[in-house]
Amino acid sequence: KAGVTQTPRYLIKTRGQQVTLSCSPISGHRSVSWYQQTPGQGLQFLFEYFSETQRNKGNFPGRFSGRQFSNSRSEMNVSTLELGDSALYLCASSIGTGENYEQYFGPGTRLTVT
Amino acid sequence: AQTVTQSQPEMSVQEAETVTLSCTYDTSENNYYLFWYKQPPSRQMILVIRQEAYKQQNATENRFSVNFQKAAKSFSLKISDSQLGDTAMYFCAFMKLFDMRFGAGTRLTVKP
């Protein structure tokens, strides 16, 4: 079974621009979560989607948004980029229900804002 | 809000020896999940072990085991017979209602 894939793997943007990151979950998984990883703040939860609905959201400004499509693929968008948005963005997928809740992580997208 | 604390930023252990990584968390919830994830250098995060809060028995996965103390809100990871491939960042995580919170991580180095 193919793992979680994220595209692109690396991205360089300029302050003020916007960016869209993509995540394809493991086949059969209906939940996708997004995380931001930085040396200073560590791993921070952005949001989680299940069957195209956002079920939970972390403490990030409205510039960070996401969506999930009917095939469970998810996109994350960051508008008006700031230097502090430079980070590794990880997505994780899971079945999303039941007791055996496990998240499987993708390799991440490394975003650099200049 | 739930917080997860890993008090050991870095640790090292000799190959074949045992090491314990500490994790404490703060929550008022009764039902939740706890996890240990491993992130090798420049590689993907992978799940090491999982514990459901309602289960009293400590989880075990081969050389990895946890000491879950619910009342003390403690969730430590023991790695037995350490191997060079265990070198990685280890993150403790708390999850409730699909919101996962991570600790700052412990960088573990296994020395030959």
Side-chain angles (χ1 to χ4, degrees):
Chain A
K1 198 183 253 189
V4 178
T5 59
Q6 291 187 246
T7 56
R9 293 292 310 280
Y10 302 91
L11 206 49
I12 300 175
K13 289 286 188 178
T14 304
R15 241 180 334 176
Q17 289 185 314
Q18 76 165 21
V19 67
T20 299
L21 312 181
S22 181
C23 172
S24 292
I26 291 171
S27 177
H29 285 190
R30 295 164 64 191
S31 168
V32 173
S33 298
W34 288 91
Y35 300 89
Q36 181 195 66
Q37 186 176 23
T38 60
Q41 299 297 317
L43 275 156
Q44 295 187 87
F45 171 72
L46 281 154
F47 27 66
E48 189 258 359
Y49 287 88
F50 178 80
S51 292
E52 302 178 67
T53 299
Q54 187 182 87
R55 288 197 295 194
N56 217 329
K57 187 177 186 302
N59 298 323
F60 276 80
R63 300 185 298 107
F64 292 82
S65 63
R67 60 177 175 169
Q68 187 179 34
F69 302 95
S70 59
N71 62 357
S72 294
R73 189 178 70 85
S74 177
E75 288 183 348
M76 190 192 93
N77 186 75
V78 188
S79 61
T80 320
L81 283 165
E82 301 176 359
L83 296 178
D85 296 333
S86 293
L88 180 66
Y89 289 88
L90 296 170
C91 99
S93 78
S94 75
I95 293 173
T97 60
E99 288 191 348
N100 293 325
Y101 189 88
E102 293 182 10
Q103 291 192 351
Y104 297 83
F105 282 81
T109 294
R110 173 78 61 187
L111 172 65
T112 302
V113 182
T114 62
Chain B
Q2 290 81 12
T3 57
V4 180
T5 302
Q6 293 178 250
S7 58
Q8 306 148 314
E10 293 192 30
M11 293 189 74
S12 63
V13 63
Q14 291 296 134
E15 198 175 6
E17 292 188 345
T18 296
V19 64
T20 299
L21 280 55
S22 301
C23 173
T24 59
Y25 57 94
D26 183 26
T27 185
S28 57
E29 302 286 348
N30 191 46
N31 296 316
Y32 48 86
Y33 294 89
L34 294 164
F35 305 87
W36 278 97
Y37 278 91
K38 166 185 175 181
Q39 189 176 39
S42 302
R43 293 181 61 187
Q44 273 169 247
M45 187 106 69
I46 58 176
L47 177 67
V48 175
I49 200 164
R50 181 183 97 238
Q51 175 82 42
E52 293 88 344
Y54 66 86
K55 292 185 177 178
Q56 293 186 343
Q57 187 172 4
N58 289 327
T60 299
E61 286 288 340
N62 301 313
R63 298 182 296 107
F64 299 88
S65 61
V66 298
N67 183 3
F68 173 48
Q69 302 289 327
K70 190 173 183 179
K73 297 177 185 175
S74 170
F75 183 62
S76 61
L77 173 70
K78 185 172 83 171
I79 305 174
S80 304
D81 186 24
S82 296
Q83 300 175 0
L84 297 178
D86 295 334
T87 292
M89 279 290 287
Y90 286 81
F91 293 96
C92 176
F94 171 103
M95 192 190 75
K96 174 71 179 179
L97 292 177
F98 321 112
D99 178 347
M100 187 173 287
R101 305 287 168 153
F102 288 85
T106 295
R107 186 176 303 279
L108 177 67
T109 302
V110 180
K111 299 179 178 179

